[in-house]
Amino acid sequence: MATEAIITDTTLMGILVVLAMVIVYFIVREIRIMKTASRSIEMELEKDKLKLLKQHEESKVFSFTRLSQEQTAEIKNVEDDNTSLETNIYAKEKLIETRLNRLENLVKTRKLDNLLGNIQEQEKKVK
């Protein structure tokens, strides 16, 4: 009887808890590995997409070296005309804004003068 192995309920529960913790650890580890692997695959896919987009953009680039001197001169003339038109438009808009502000101020001044005149007349009537 001295060599009898006695396994009690508490030791059995302890062994089962440790075994359950090991199983949970392996499950969590596998989930993390799966997420990391899928994320690395996504990153590689994004890198491939970027490479394809770069290749596509490089193929679309239209070189100005193919244009003749006359064509570049015409383009420059049109750009200069656009710049001068934009400058004229800006100047006219600024002039309109300042004139509208002046008109608003004149109207306010006239209203205030009329109100002051009315107040003075009312004060004279009261006195």
Side-chain angles (χ1 to χ4, degrees):
M1 286 193 117
T3 60
E4 234 178 80
I6 299 175
I7 299 177
T8 62
D9 289 340
T10 55
T11 55
L12 183 62
M13 285 299 286
I15 292 171
L16 287 176
V17 167
V18 169
L19 185 62
M21 289 176 63
V22 169
I23 291 172
V24 168
Y25 169 76
F26 283 125
I27 291 173
V28 169
R29 184 172 167 252
E30 285 298 318
I31 290 173
R32 287 181 60 206
I33 289 172
M34 286 184 346
K35 284 186 179 180
T36 306
S38 65
R39 184 64 184 148
S40 64
I41 291 171
E42 288 176 10
M43 293 299 290
E44 289 177 19
L45 182 63
E46 290 295 324
K47 286 179 183 177
D48 290 341
K49 284 182 184 178
L50 285 174
K51 285 180 185 176
L52 287 175
L53 285 173
K54 283 181 183 178
Q55 289 175 354
H56 180 67
E57 288 298 319
E58 288 173 356
S59 67
K60 282 184 8 180
V61 172
F62 184 75
S63 176
F64 281 104
T65 57
R66 296 181 189 169
L67 297 176
S68 66
Q69 290 293 335
E70 295 86 21
Q71 291 170 333
T72 54
E74 289 177 22
I75 291 172
K76 189 124 179 107
N77 287 337
V78 171
E79 287 177 352
D80 291 341
D81 289 342
N82 280 338
T83 304
S84 64
L85 288 172
E86 288 172 356
T87 304
N88 289 338
I89 289 171
Y90 177 76
K92 287 179 182 179
E93 287 175 348
K94 203 63 173 159
L95 178 64
I96 288 172
E97 285 179 21
T98 54
R99 291 181 102 177
L100 284 175
N101 284 337
R102 184 180 67 180
L103 182 61
E104 288 174 359
N105 289 334
L106 287 173
V107 169
K108 284 181 186 177
T109 303
R110 183 75 46 93
K111 280 184 179 180
L112 292 173
D113 288 342
N114 288 341
L115 284 173
L116 284 174
N118 288 340
I119 289 172
Q120 287 174 353
E121 288 178 19
Q122 294 299 323
E123 287 176 346
K124 286 180 184 176
K125 288 180 183 178
V126 170
K127 290 182 182 180

